[in-house]
Amino acid sequence: MKRSSKQIEYTEDTEALANFAKALGHPTRIVILKHLENQSCCFTGDLVDVLPLAQSTVSQHLKELKSAGLIQGELKPPKIKYCINQENWNIAKTLFQQFFD
Amino acid sequence: MKRSSKQIEYTEDTEALANFAKALGHPTRIVILKHLENQSCCFTGDLVDVLPLAQSTVSQHLKELKSAGLIQGELKPPKIKYCINQENWNIAKTLFQQFFD
DNA sequence: AGACCCTATCGTAAATTTACGATGGTAAAA
DNA sequence: TTTTACCATCGTAAATTTACGATAGGGTCT
């Protein structure tokens, strides 16, 4: 943004929905989430094998999904097990449902 | 992207869903779409009045929503009437529904 | 302690996004 | 025909996103 601009105000729901949508706004992240829906859980390495991307890139996408609240990581040495964050997943689901009327 | 990279392949649905999600990935565009859902249609000027953004910025957001297929513009001189593109709206709705299981 | 996995983070580069003001184009109105 | 209204597009700047390789860190196993 050129001008730092008068920090626009949005409702919480609008902000939340846009946030979730943004996290879903990349095909790689859709693939990751679909994978997690099937397997219920998986490790970073599994995804690196499936996706034609560098390990660091996959890790970065996972980080974004985590910061959006859609997934969570559980330490399972020496691996990390990622699962859908069911609570936030349901919130997102509801927001999209409401949005699409 | 640093390396032009081996053009990753995604399924059509994955690509389409990510595309719609990306279009929804900004709160201003959510506000615009909610507005269009209520009014069914509206003019660019109406949105400029509602949103604390420059006219050119609003126009840019509208362009993105249009190129994502979520809205369509109809010439209604001297104004332009924007409406939800119901066909693609339904496609998006279905994709999100399927995705959220 | 040392070697080995697995994964996160850092540094970096290119592309894209978001925002603005200024300009241009189209169609009605004077 | 000139003016006016409405809106898209251009040019530009800053921020963010996407991608990579390299490095670092946490935990096992030897």
Side-chain angles (χ1 to χ4, degrees):
Chain A
M1 311 96 189
K2 200 169 177 184
R3 319 215 163 279
S4 57
S5 96
K6 42 211 162 184
Q7 264 297 86
I8 306 170
E9 277 294 328
Y10 300 100
T11 69
E12 240 178 82
D13 275 8
T14 293
E15 202 98 54
L17 180 56
N19 242 4
F20 285 129
K22 194 176 178 185
L24 300 181
H26 193 290
T28 293
R29 292 196 285 272
I30 298 289
V31 170
I32 291 174
L33 290 170
K34 280 186 175 173
H35 202 79
L36 285 177
E37 276 187 291
N38 286 2
Q39 318 277 317
S40 94
C41 282
C42 76
F43 302 106
T44 308
D46 302 347
L47 294 168
V48 175
D49 291 343
V50 170
L51 298 164
L53 292 168
Q55 180 263 321
S56 60
T57 305
V58 173
S59 198
Q60 212 170 266
H61 281 301
L62 287 168
K63 188 182 174 184
E64 278 196 57
L65 288 172
K66 197 165 60 178
S67 85
L70 289 170
I71 66 173
Q72 57 199 8
E74 187 188 339
L75 227 60
K76 211 83 176 178
K79 301 187 176 185
I80 296 179
K81 196 173 73 171
Y82 280 106
C83 309
I84 301 275
N85 181 321
Q86 204 60 50
E87 190 182 347
N88 289 331
W89 186 265
N90 289 336
I91 292 175
K93 179 180 177 173
T94 302
L95 283 172
F96 277 105
Q97 272 176 353
Q98 286 174 352
F99 181 72
F100 281 105
D101 159 44
Chain B
M1 310 93 191
K2 200 172 179 183
R3 318 218 163 276
S4 56
S5 97
K6 41 211 163 185
Q7 263 298 86
I8 306 170
E9 277 294 328
Y10 300 101
T11 69
E12 241 177 82
D13 275 8
T14 294
E15 203 98 52
L17 180 57
N19 242 3
F20 284 130
K22 194 176 177 185
L24 300 180
H26 193 288
T28 293
R29 293 198 285 272
I30 297 289
V31 170
I32 291 175
L33 290 171
K34 280 187 174 172
H35 202 80
L36 284 178
E37 276 187 291
N38 286 3
Q39 318 277 318
S40 93
C41 282
C42 76
F43 302 106
T44 308
D46 302 347
L47 295 167
V48 175
D49 291 344
V50 170
L51 298 164
L53 292 168
Q55 180 264 319
S56 60
T57 303
V58 173
S59 198
Q60 211 169 265
H61 281 302
L62 286 168
K63 189 181 174 185
E64 278 197 59
L65 288 172
K66 197 164 61 178
S67 86
L70 288 171
I71 66 173
Q72 57 199 8
E74 188 187 339
L75 226 62
K76 213 84 178 179
K79 300 189 176 185
I80 296 181
K81 196 173 72 171
Y82 280 106
C83 310
I84 300 276
N85 182 320
Q86 205 59 51
E87 191 183 347
N88 289 330
W89 185 265
N90 289 337
I91 292 174
K93 178 179 178 173
T94 302
L95 283 171
F96 278 105
Q97 271 175 352
Q98 287 173 352
F99 182 72
F100 281 105
D101 155 49

